Amino acid sequence: MSKFVILLGGHLTVTDRLKRQIAGARVLAADSGMRHAEALGVEPELWLGDFDSTSPALARRYEHVPRRTFPAAKDMTDGELALSEAFALGATSIILCGAFGGMRADHTMLHLTMAVAQAAEGRDILLSSGIEEAWPILPGKYNPDLPSGTLFSIIGFTELQGLTITSAEWPLDNVKVPFGSSLTVSNVVRGTLGVFLRSGCGVLVATLEGERDRPIVNTTR
């Protein structure tokens, strides 16, 4: 498996869990996502984007990193460009670091929907801010690696049919969740979480209990 990390421009809190997750991965940076490189102790092999949100100081600090520059008027975000490049380089597993928060809620929503679309193509994608993680949920069975006590929600992007949740504070057994329902918001892992979905799509979003009190770093785009 070829694992890649893509540094995006949202919030990022560096935790031991995140460091373990990214260990051994190849790294790409999308525009201002490069500011997370030092805190994570990584150096990207390629820096992509239109660089409209990269500060002069950051540009100078990483002027030795190969760049691929795109016009501001383009059909893809810098994050999507980096994702496409990772797949072109043979990525089979991707962690989007800095996928949540920042000044652009539209980018956060795009990252979530983009991950679901890529998962539908059979690709393995995790989104992380260090404190929050998200996985695309499509028809099938899932056992996300989450500690007992973790707060999690399943957000449907469609109606969810045949949803089963086991080892949780509020288990479900083969239920239908209407689109827009809050039924699957704010559950808690109790043991080894299991999720099964018969049809539909969405995301599982988890808040890591042990990380919530850590200070948020690198939050300026």
Side-chain angles (χ1 to χ4, degrees):
M1 179 176 287
S2 181
K3 180 167 65 174
F4 275 70
V5 165
I6 296 177
L7 306 182
L8 301 174
H11 294 170
L12 191 69
T13 300
V14 179
T15 66
D16 291 339
R17 176 182 171 92
L18 181 58
K19 286 181 178 179
R20 289 193 301 271
Q21 288 170 333
I22 70 171
R26 297 172 66 177
V27 183
L28 307 179
D31 204 335
S32 64
M34 179 61 93
R35 71 182 187 279
H36 301 312
E38 182 178 9
L40 287 169
V42 299
E43 184 163 296
E45 63 186 73
L46 183 63
W47 193 3
L48 304 94
D50 55 25
F51 299 97
D52 63 349
S53 56
T54 294
S55 69
L58 190 65
R60 288 193 299 271
R61 180 177 180 84
Y62 291 100
E63 62 183 359
H64 59 285
V65 174
R67 295 191 196 184
R68 189 170 301 163
T69 304
F70 295 83
K74 58 186 184 301
D75 295 332
M76 301 169 70
T77 65
D78 297 331
E80 189 176 11
L81 288 167
L83 191 65
S84 296
E85 179 65 20
F87 291 134
L89 292 171
T92 55
S93 175
I94 290 181
I95 301 175
L96 302 178
C97 291
F100 307 112
M103 300 293 290
R104 298 288 300 273
D106 54 344
H107 282 212
T108 296
M109 290 185 281
L110 173 65
H111 297 152
L112 293 168
T113 56
M114 187 168 63
V116 171
Q118 295 298 335
E121 298 294 324
R123 290 159 171 165
D124 178 25
I125 298 187
L126 167 66
L127 302 89
S128 180
S129 70
I131 293 175
E132 287 186 300
E133 295 178 358
W135 293 263
I137 298 293
L138 295 164
K141 183 177 180 180
Y142 301 86
N143 295 104
D145 176 24
L146 291 171
S148 190
T150 300
L151 181 71
F152 75 95
S153 300
I154 294 178
I155 309 298
F157 291 164
T158 64
E159 178 180 271
L160 304 178
Q161 291 274 3
L163 178 65
T164 295
I165 299 175
T166 58
S167 297
E169 186 75 13
W170 294 282
L172 295 175
D173 183 15
N174 193 31
V175 303
K176 179 176 76 173
V177 183
F179 176 60
S181 170
S182 63
L183 175 65
T184 51
V185 171
S186 297
N187 208 334
V188 182
V189 177
R190 299 298 184 206
T192 301
L193 181 65
V195 176
F196 175 81
L197 181 65
R198 190 171 70 247
S199 68
C201 68
V203 292
L204 188 155
V205 182
T207 302
L208 283 302
E209 288 290 329
E211 314 301 341
R212 288 201 293 178
D213 296 331
R214 293 174 181 258
I216 295 177
V217 298
N218 295 330
T219 59
T220 305
R221 277 187 176 272

